[in-house]
């Protein structure tokens, strides 16, 4: 497997300029001869599709929702980072770069992260020009808030709907190109396989989710921007449709899967209320700007929060991490919450919860000021729990939120399969083993607006335009395989529903490969998942037919992939014998803090698929730190 | 809780506006509904039961389940998104209903939104309206610094209030004329309150209104049902703003160079 990251020469600050300069270009007149498929219409996909179309490429864009505007980026709440230093508080590209590398526990590529920090500045300019209504101060300039893992205020936001506003900005740009007929949009269309011709990605096979038709799309390059795989745990803050299907099937065609075990558990979500629960709802990290996290000092203290005096409260993040306090990074805040719950100090009926309390800030700035900043989040909380968070503290608990792992890509965001590019949460590139808050929106838009429009040209310049047509025999072969899988799923007609299997998988994943992991549990998971998968293929019940809209069939395909992918995730967690960021192995810790092993694990783990029944092979891309010092991460 | 449901079942996409022949209401009974379930989780439970019996589950659109993607939306007892104001179907909880309730569930009904299956409708008309001009024609590149043009906070807030529309279509479904004025007005208002958006205000107003008419949405007769149904509480002032913008655009001659929508010259 070729894992050359192709990092450009030169000093860190010059690398991206150097790459843009040395890259081969496609002339404006030739661009329109090339076709690019963009799978996904979230921040990464929509911005990529629009920007490439503006340059003149023919673009086809796909999403499984009924409109590109509904991609899961829409749900991002808190904000987007950028090194603008508008606060005059000492921020800089260098600092954002450093915070991100450190936040990721030194498991990301320096060159990629530096470019991300450089481009962050352009994203805000671009979004404002496109009409994104960011929050402003009375003087008319942009406002900022703070996010975890940073001591500067660099997060731009649009109340609690930053993802929505940014996505609508990218969707508007995409819509403009659709109107101009430079992008052809295929909503309600799911990519079910990748087509390689002579080792290059030259197309995809999709299912039209409205009619059931299986179709082939050929092109000169394929871009995947299909988001994260959080729902492999069943319950997560992700949308119900988020899945691993596109990247997993590309993996089975040869694309390396990097660091699948790096998953992020977000500390502030609404706790589970019952078995019927279909998803978990995030309460944005931005709330930690004004909310204080605490549990009672004494175990099993069932008094009402208001009746517990300050002296009997443990503001444990402020106590343990005085310099970052409530803004400690997510992995650390989540583990700290778990620890106090294990000590019997968790709150609520289940004892799996901690308080996020706004009492002090409401006293300080007033209810109205808090409502202006977080109104929609408080409203959402009240809807779900039937409690008033202005009057009593929120109850929160960690939940699966983001997946740092993804398809391996080089500096140009190209996978090891030539012609296959991967953007946004679907790739593994910038966040190491823990993503800092407000940096996924930044990465998705950096990839889509500012990286891919350049780097795709470097690949296309070496390709003959339009050489492959959908009547190429490879398409027929792969489409037949897709039809076959659909038929098999419908034919089983067993006794258990798709959701039933999905929940069973989620249970294994969360209990054995969730917030903390150990060898014994992982080995158990590695036995239980294949058994569950075998049962799925014998006993799942999918009702209805293939040639119509069939939502159970859609879910069945996604769960079938999760049942394969979950195993790889656990295997990766087992093989990474260290703790880093969101990957916490109980065997490697320092009093509850993650203990890295830089001698043996300062690398990206990249998995190669070797076919059904064959164990996958683990490759390594070594990580070099020339500009930051590999240190023990401390937020104390 | 014990709940009886009457749900619209339809297997094929409607092709004409006369939808009544395309499907029918079917009654289902659920005996163990928890008041903490969301409305969609209640439908999940129904679908699990149907699947186990070998019957086709009820198709409905949903994704984020936290009120922001705009995928979900059904008529519940004749009200778009059900009885709670400012709430999407996915955020509605069963505690809003009484034990023993009979609930009628139907898809959005509008000529511009053909039913695809059961509770799923085709809202692509909204996307086409947006494609006609609900954007600012800037290419990706190097625009000026984000703080180069100050925007008064009150204007930014007004733009934001309009921009929170989730494109669910409840406004159309609630309107007896199936008018899309609240949705389209929200787009006009969003850009109108930003200096960046005012550059193309005339052509935007003209193009959006033309596209809306072409898609078969009805006219506004000031019933304000849309505002009452809107889960994001988009105010009807956006409709007044759109009307003003349209009149303003009409009295000004369209400059020749802007004839091409979003020209990227
Ligand atoms: C609740 C929540 C809050 C968040 N808040 C923040 C925040 O405040 N700040 C921040 O920086 N990050 C935040 N994040 C993370 C961030 O929102 C995501 O990581 C990011 O938006 C992902 O963007 P994307 O473009 O990569 O993928 P997505 O937006 O998930 O888009 C995926 C696209 O791929 C399509 N797709 C997927 N599979 C297929 C297939 N097989 N065939 C066809 N199409 C397919 C989908 O239809 C969709 O269009 C949050 C995440 C969640 C869940
Ligand atoms: S205006 Fe309101 S009801 Fe209409 S589409 Fe937007 S959010 Fe939905
Ligand atoms: S499912 Fe997203 S708004 Fe209801």
């Amino acid at each position: 497997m070729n894992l050359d990251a192709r990092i450009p020469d030169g000093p860190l600050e010059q690398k991206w300029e150097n790459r843009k300069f040395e890259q081969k270009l496609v002339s404006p007149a030739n661009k329109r001869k090339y076709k690019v498929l963009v799978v996904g219409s979230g921040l990464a996909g929509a911005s990529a599709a629009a920007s490439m179309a503006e340059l003149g490429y023919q673009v086809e864009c796909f999403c499984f929702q009924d409109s590109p505007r509904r991609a899961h980026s829409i749900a991002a709440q808190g904000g987007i980072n950028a090194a603008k230093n508008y606060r005059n508080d000492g921020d800089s590209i260098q600092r954002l770069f450093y915070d991100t590398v450190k936040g990721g526990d030194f498991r990301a590529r320096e060159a990629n992260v530096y470019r991300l920090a450089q481009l962050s500045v352009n994203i805000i300019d671009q979004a404002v020009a496109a009409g994104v209504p960011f929050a402003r101060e009375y003087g008319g300039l942009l406002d900022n808030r703070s996010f975890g893992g940073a001591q500067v205020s660099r997060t731009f936001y649009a109340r609690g709907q930053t993802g929505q506003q940014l996505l609508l900005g990218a969707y508007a740009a995409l819509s403009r190109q659709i109107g101009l007929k430079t992008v052809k949009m295929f909503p309600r269309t799911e990519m079910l396989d990748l087509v390689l011709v002579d080792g290059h990605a030259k197309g995809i096979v999709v299912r039209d989710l409205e009619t059931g038709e299986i179709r082939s799309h050929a092109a000169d390059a394929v871009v995947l921007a299909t988001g994260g795989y959080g729902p492999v745990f069943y319950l997560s803050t992700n949308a119900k449709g988020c899945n691993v299907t596109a990247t997993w099937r590309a993996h089975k065609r040869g694309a390396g899967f990097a660091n699948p075990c790096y998953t992020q558990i977000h500390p502030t979500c609404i706790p589970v209320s019952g078995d019927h629960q279909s998803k978990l709802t995030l309460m944005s990290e931005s709330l930690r700007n004004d909310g204080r996290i605490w549990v009672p000092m004494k175990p099993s203290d069932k008094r009402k929060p208001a009746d517990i005096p300050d002296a009997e409260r443990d503001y444990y993040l402020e106590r343990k991490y005085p310099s970052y306090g409530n803004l400690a990074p997510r992995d650390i805040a989540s583990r700290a919450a778990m620890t106090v719950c294990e000590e019997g100090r968790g709150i609520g009926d289940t004892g799996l919860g901690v308080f996020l309390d706004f009492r002090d800030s409401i006293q300080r700035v007033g209810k109205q000021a808090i409502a202006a900043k977080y109104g929609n989040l408080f409203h959402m909380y009240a809807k779900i729990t039937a409690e008033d968070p202005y009057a009593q503290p929120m109850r929160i608990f960690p939940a699966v939120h983001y997946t740092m792992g993804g398809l391996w890509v080089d500096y140009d965001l190209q996978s090891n399969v030539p012609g296959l590019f991967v953007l946004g949460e679907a790739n593994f590139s910038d966040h190491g083993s823990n993503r800092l808050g407000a940096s996924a929106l930044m990465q998705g838009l950096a990839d889509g607006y500012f990286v891919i429009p350049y780097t795709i040209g470097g690949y296309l310049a070496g390709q003959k335009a339009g050489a492959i047509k959908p009547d190429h025999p490879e398409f027929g072969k792969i489409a037949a395989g897709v039809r076959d899988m659909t038929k098999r799923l419908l034919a089983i007609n067993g006794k258990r529903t798709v959701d039933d299997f999905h929940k069973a998988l989620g249970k294994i994943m969360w209990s054995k490969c969730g917030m903390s992991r150990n060898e014994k549990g992982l080995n158990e998971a590695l036995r239980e998942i294949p058994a569950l998968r075998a049962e799925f293929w014998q006993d799942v019940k999918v009702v209805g037919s293939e040639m119509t809209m069939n939502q159970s069939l859609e879910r069945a395909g996604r769960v079938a992939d999760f049942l394969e992918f979950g195993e790889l995730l656990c295997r990766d967690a087992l093989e990474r014998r260290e703790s880093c960021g969101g990957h916490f192995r109980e065997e490697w810790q320092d009093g509850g803090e993650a203990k890295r092993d830089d001698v043996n694990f300062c690398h990206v783990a990249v998995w190669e698929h070797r076919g059904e029944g064959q164990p996958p092979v683990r490759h390594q891309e070594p990580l070099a730190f020339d500009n930051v010092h590999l240190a023990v991460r401390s937020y104390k | 809780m014990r709940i009886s449901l009457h749900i619209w079942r339809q297997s094929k996409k409607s092709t004409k506006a006369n939808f009544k022949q395309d499907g029918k209401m079917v009654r289902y009974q659920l005996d163990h509904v928890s008041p903490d379930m969301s409305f969609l989780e209640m439908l999940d439970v129904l679908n699990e039961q149907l699947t186990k019996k070998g019957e086709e589950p009820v198709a409905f659109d949903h994704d984020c389940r936290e009120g922001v993607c705009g995928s979900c939306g059904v008529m519940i007892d004749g009200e778009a998104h059900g009885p709670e104001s400012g709430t999407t179907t996915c955020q509605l909880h069963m505690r809003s209903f009484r034990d023993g309730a009979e609930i009628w569930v139907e898809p959005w009904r509008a000529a511009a939104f053909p039913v695809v299956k059961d509770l799923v409708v085709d809202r692509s008309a909204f996307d086409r309206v947006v494609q006609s001009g609900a954007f600012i024609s800037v290419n990706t590149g190097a625009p000026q610094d984000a703080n180069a043009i100050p925007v008064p906070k009150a204007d930014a807030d007004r733009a934001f209030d309009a921009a929170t529309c989730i494109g669910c279509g409840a406004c159309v479904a609630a309107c007896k004329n199936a008018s899309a004025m609240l949705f389209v007005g929200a787009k006009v208002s969003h850009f109108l309150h930003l200096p960046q958006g005012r550059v193309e205000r005339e052509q935007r107003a003209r193009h959006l209104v033309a596209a809306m008419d072409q898609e078969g949405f009805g006219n506004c007769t000031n019933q304000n049902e849309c505002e009452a149904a809107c889960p994001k509480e988009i105010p009807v002032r956006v409709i007044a703003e759109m009307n003003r913008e349209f009149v303003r655009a009409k009295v000004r001659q369209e400059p020749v160079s802007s004839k091409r929508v979003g020209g990227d010259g």
Side-chain angles (χ1 to χ4, degrees):
Chain A
M1 186 171 265
N2 175 12
L3 296 179
D4 178 2
R6 299 188 54 249
I7 295 168
D9 293 334
L12 202 52
E13 308 78 42
Q14 278 301 315
K15 284 185 189 295
W16 179 229
E17 283 305 316
N18 291 352
R19 172 53 44 89
K20 286 195 288 186
F21 182 70
E22 76 200 15
Q23 189 106 270
K24 273 186 267 173
L25 294 176
V26 180
S27 79
N30 282 337
K31 282 200 179 89
R32 69 180 74 99
K33 298 180 189 152
Y34 288 96
K35 187 192 275 183
V36 181
L37 306 181
V38 178
V39 188
S41 65
L43 285 178
S47 58
S51 304
M52 288 192 287
E54 287 163 10
L55 287 174
Y57 296 114
Q58 304 168 45
V59 177
E60 293 184 354
C61 183
F62 305 80
C63 70
F64 66 74
Q65 292 92 346
D66 70 325
S67 162
R69 66 175 289 151
R70 306 201 201 285
H72 189 50
S73 295
I74 201 95
Q77 301 171 350
I80 176 166
N81 287 332
K84 282 285 199 186
N85 193 28
Y86 283 163
R87 302 290 102 195
N88 195 26
D89 58 0
D91 200 11
S92 62
I93 287 169
Q94 180 69 22
R95 187 176 296 280
L96 175 54
F97 158 71
Y98 180 76
D99 285 350
T100 307
V101 171
K102 175 183 171 193
D105 214 355
F106 305 93
R107 289 291 176 265
R109 242 186 238 145
E110 278 189 342
N112 282 61
V113 178
Y114 197 87
R115 174 179 63 190
L116 178 64
Q118 287 176 307
L119 294 176
S120 69
V121 176
N122 306 59
I123 295 170
I124 303 301
D125 299 343
Q126 183 67 33
V128 166
V132 172
F134 282 122
R136 287 179 185 268
E137 302 172 319
Y138 285 99
L141 303 184
L142 293 165
D143 195 12
N144 289 111
R145 54 168 59 144
S146 303
F147 255 61
Q151 288 175 314
V152 293
S153 212
R154 64 160 76 97
T155 306
F156 294 77
Y157 68 100
R159 236 168 276 175
Q161 289 114 293
T162 316
Q164 178 194 34
Q165 295 309 316
L166 287 168
L167 182 61
L168 292 180
Y171 161 76
L174 174 64
S175 296
R176 171 168 162 248
Q177 296 303 319
I178 297 171
L180 290 168
K181 302 206 171 9
T182 54
V183 175
K184 209 162 167 215
M185 186 70 218
F186 296 88
R188 281 206 211 280
T189 304
E190 184 167 32
M191 166 183 163
L192 292 179
D193 219 331
L194 176 73
V195 181
L196 269 55
V197 177
D198 301 327
H200 286 238
K202 291 295 170 197
I204 60 176
V205 171
V206 301
R207 180 166 180 270
D208 180 325
L209 300 181
E210 203 173 292
T211 64
E213 186 198 356
I214 306 280
R215 266 196 324 259
S216 295
H217 291 258
D220 298 291
V222 177
V223 176
L224 298 186
T226 48
Y229 49 80
V232 67
F233 292 87
Y234 187 69
L235 286 182
S236 78
T237 63
N238 291 14
K240 291 298 281 176
C242 293
N243 66 84
V244 76
T245 290
T247 46
W248 182 248
R249 297 193 185 180
H251 172 63
K252 288 170 90 172
R253 297 274 163 219
F257 213 112
N259 300 331
C261 80
Y262 287 169
T263 47
Q264 175 164 82
I265 317 270
H266 195 295
T268 56
C269 304
I270 302 179
V272 178
S273 72
D275 287 340
H276 55 266
Q277 192 122 6
S278 60
K279 75 154 280 161
L280 296 171
T281 301
L282 175 74
M283 286 289 108
S284 165
E285 178 162 313
S286 58
L287 292 168
R288 292 198 263 145
N289 275 277
D290 288 293
R292 298 176 68 194
I293 295 181
W294 65 277
V295 290
M297 292 270 191
K298 288 197 300 270
S300 325
D301 187 341
K302 293 289 168 208
R303 283 177 291 173
K304 285 210 203 86
D307 297 341
I308 303 180
D310 257 6
E312 293 172 46
R313 298 176 173 197
D314 180 9
Y315 292 94
Y316 57 88
L317 287 177
E318 298 171 22
R319 172 173 59 78
K320 284 171 132 168
Y321 308 103
S323 55
Y324 284 73
N326 291 295
L327 288 171
R330 292 176 177 175
D331 51 338
I332 288 176
S334 288
R335 272 199 299 279
M338 200 63 184
T339 308
V340 296
C341 291
E342 280 164 1
E343 291 163 0
R345 299 194 288 144
I347 53 97
D349 295 338
T350 55
L352 295 175
V354 301
F355 290 124
L356 176 60
D357 199 338
F358 295 88
R359 183 197 63 184
D360 297 351
S361 24
I362 290 175
Q363 264 167 19
R364 194 176 65 243
V365 297
K367 183 173 164 179
Q368 245 186 337
I370 294 295
K373 274 194 193 162
Y374 313 112
N376 76 312
L377 299 172
F378 277 56
H379 177 79
M380 208 175 345
Y381 182 86
K383 282 277 166 220
I384 292 172
T385 61
E387 293 171 2
D388 175 8
Y390 293 103
Q392 65 192 87
M394 290 183 175
R395 292 174 295 112
I396 51 155
F397 195 66
V400 173
H401 178 59
Y402 182 87
T403 55
M404 282 77 68
L407 291 185
W408 182 88
V409 288
D410 65 12
Y411 184 79
D412 289 349
L413 305 183
Q414 183 166 215
S415 73
N416 59 307
V417 174
L420 179 68
F421 292 78
V422 192
L423 319 182
E425 193 172 340
N427 74 22
F428 88 106
S429 68
D430 297 353
H431 308 296
S433 55
N434 172 59
R435 175 176 71 79
L436 288 183
S439 57
L441 302 182
M442 170 171 77
Q443 182 224 334
L445 289 175
D447 289 0
Y449 277 136
F450 298 115
V451 180
I452 191 75
Y454 291 98
T455 58
I456 196 120
Y459 170 75
L460 291 174
Q463 300 291 307
K464 186 171 170 298
I468 307 294
K469 299 277 178 287
D471 57 8
H472 189 283
E474 260 324 288
F475 283 91
K477 214 169 82 194
I478 288 174
V482 167
R483 275 192 202 96
D484 186 51
M485 175 162 173
T486 307
K487 289 209 163 65
R488 265 171 71 207
L489 286 168
L490 286 165
I492 299 166
N493 197 20
K495 285 187 288 298
R496 285 177 74 180
T497 63
V498 174
D499 260 27
D500 212 22
F501 280 103
H502 196 175
K503 284 182 187 169
L505 174 67
K507 259 203 193 107
I508 302 174
M509 297 300 300
W510 178 246
S511 62
K512 312 229 153 121
C513 197
M515 201 146 26
S516 69
R517 302 155 174 190
N518 62 47
E519 178 154 349
K520 180 168 164 284
L522 290 168
N523 275 320
E524 283 164 13
L526 286 170
R527 282 191 297 276
E528 291 168 19
I529 296 169
L532 187 66
R533 185 167 67 231
E535 196 185 334
F536 174 88
W537 283 104
Q538 280 181 356
D539 202 23
V540 74
K541 190 175 185 79
V542 185
V543 185
S545 76
E546 57 185 297
M547 292 313 283
T548 136
M549 172 174 278
N550 186 339
Q551 294 174 330
S552 320
L553 179 63
E554 292 164 29
R555 279 205 296 277
R558 293 173 197 156
V559 171
D561 291 336
F562 280 140
L563 282 164
E564 294 181 359
F565 171 71
E567 186 182 348
L568 185 74
L569 198 162
C570 292
R571 196 177 292 272
D572 188 45
L574 179 68
E575 294 301 325
R576 186 166 283 278
R577 293 183 162 79
E578 65 162 350
S579 292
C580 56
H583 170 64
F584 189 72
R585 281 288 298 266
E586 291 161 12
E587 302 92 324
W588 286 274
Q589 56 173 310
D590 238 342
E593 306 286 342
K595 196 166 156 198
R596 284 196 329 258
D597 175 354
D598 290 334
V599 176
N600 295 303
F601 287 95
C602 195
H603 61 243
V604 181
V606 190
W607 293 88
E608 180 183 1
H609 183 77
R610 297 288 293 275
E612 219 117 316
Q614 301 274 16
V617 178
R618 186 179 190 273
H619 300 273
Q620 299 180 7
E621 179 207 330
L623 291 170
F625 292 91
D626 303 324
N627 300 277
V628 300
H629 171 61
L630 261 178
V632 174
R633 205 163 57 127
S634 164
Y635 292 95
K636 293 206 162 140
Chain B
M1 295 166 74
R2 207 186 160 102
I3 298 285
S4 303
L5 292 162
H6 300 261
I7 300 184
W8 181 260
R9 301 303 309 260
Q10 171 172 337
S11 55
K12 285 211 185 60
K13 187 166 182 174
S14 300
T15 45
K16 46 188 181 314
N18 184 6
F19 45 79
K20 285 287 175 204
Q21 289 128 31
D22 295 335
K24 59 174 194 293
M25 299 300 283
V26 178
R27 185 170 187 280
Y28 302 99
Q29 169 105 19
L30 288 177
D31 292 334
H32 304 288
V33 173
S34 147
D36 287 334
M37 280 179 187
S38 71
F39 194 84
L40 298 186
E41 285 168 348
M42 185 269 299
L43 289 181
D44 290 343
V45 171
L46 171 67
N47 278 344
E48 290 290 284
Q49 282 186 14
L50 291 176
T51 304
K52 284 186 183 143
K53 284 196 285 188
E55 289 176 39
E56 255 202 80
V58 179
F60 60 91
D61 266 326
H62 66 103
D63 200 24
C64 74
R65 295 204 176 190
E66 50 188 60
V68 69
C69 74
S71 295
C72 69
V74 290
M75 297 303 277
I76 300 171
D77 292 337
E79 289 184 276
H81 291 300
E84 302 279 331
S85 68
T87 305
T88 55
T89 304
C90 60
Q91 288 188 299
L92 180 64
H93 282 72
M94 294 313 289
R95 61 179 90 94
S96 300
F97 299 87
R98 56 175 179 75
D99 191 12
E102 300 252 336
I103 307 175
W104 271 259
V105 190
E106 287 188 76
W108 294 160
R109 303 290 191 193
F113 291 166
V115 175
V116 176
K117 185 174 184 174
D118 298 338
L119 304 175
V120 175
V121 299
D122 177 348
R123 288 168 289 195
S124 53
F126 269 6
D127 286 321
R128 288 187 295 273
V129 170
V130 171
Q131 286 152 22
S132 77
F135 44 72
I136 295 174
S137 301
V138 285
N139 280 1
T140 308
Q144 78 243 76
D145 185 86
N147 260 347
I149 308 174
V151 181
K153 184 171 180 344
D155 288 351
D157 286 347
R158 294 201 136 207
F160 177 86
D161 288 340
T164 55
C165 161
I166 57 174
C168 62
C171 47
V172 176
C175 173
K176 70 180 171 66
N177 307 319
S179 164
M181 294 285 264
L182 196 66
F183 171 79
V184 184
K187 308 298 152 279
V188 170
S189 176
H190 166 191
F191 294 114
L192 176 64
H193 292 288
L194 296 172
Q196 293 86 349
R198 277 197 286 275
V199 179
E200 296 165 280
R201 61 196 282 187
E202 282 135 33
Q203 69 200 57
R204 180 175 307 116
R206 265 195 297 268
H207 290 148
L208 289 182
V209 170
M212 180 172 81
D213 292 345
Q214 200 188 331
E215 291 294 338
F217 291 109
N219 281 323
C220 174
T221 50
N222 299 317
Q223 312 287 315
N224 295 357
E225 286 294 337
C226 51
E227 185 185 70
C230 174
K232 297 296 136 182
E233 300 175 322
I234 304 288
V236 285
R237 65 135 166 108
V238 301
I239 298 182
E241 286 174 352
M242 170 160 86
N243 286 334
R244 274 202 304 276
E245 282 298 288
F246 185 62
V247 171
R248 183 178 182 280
K250 255 172 95 175
V251 298
R252 295 176 171 225
Q253 200 53 19
E254 179 161 16
V256 182
S257 61
S258 69
K259 272 258 157 63
R260 238 179 91 215
V261 184
D264 56 359

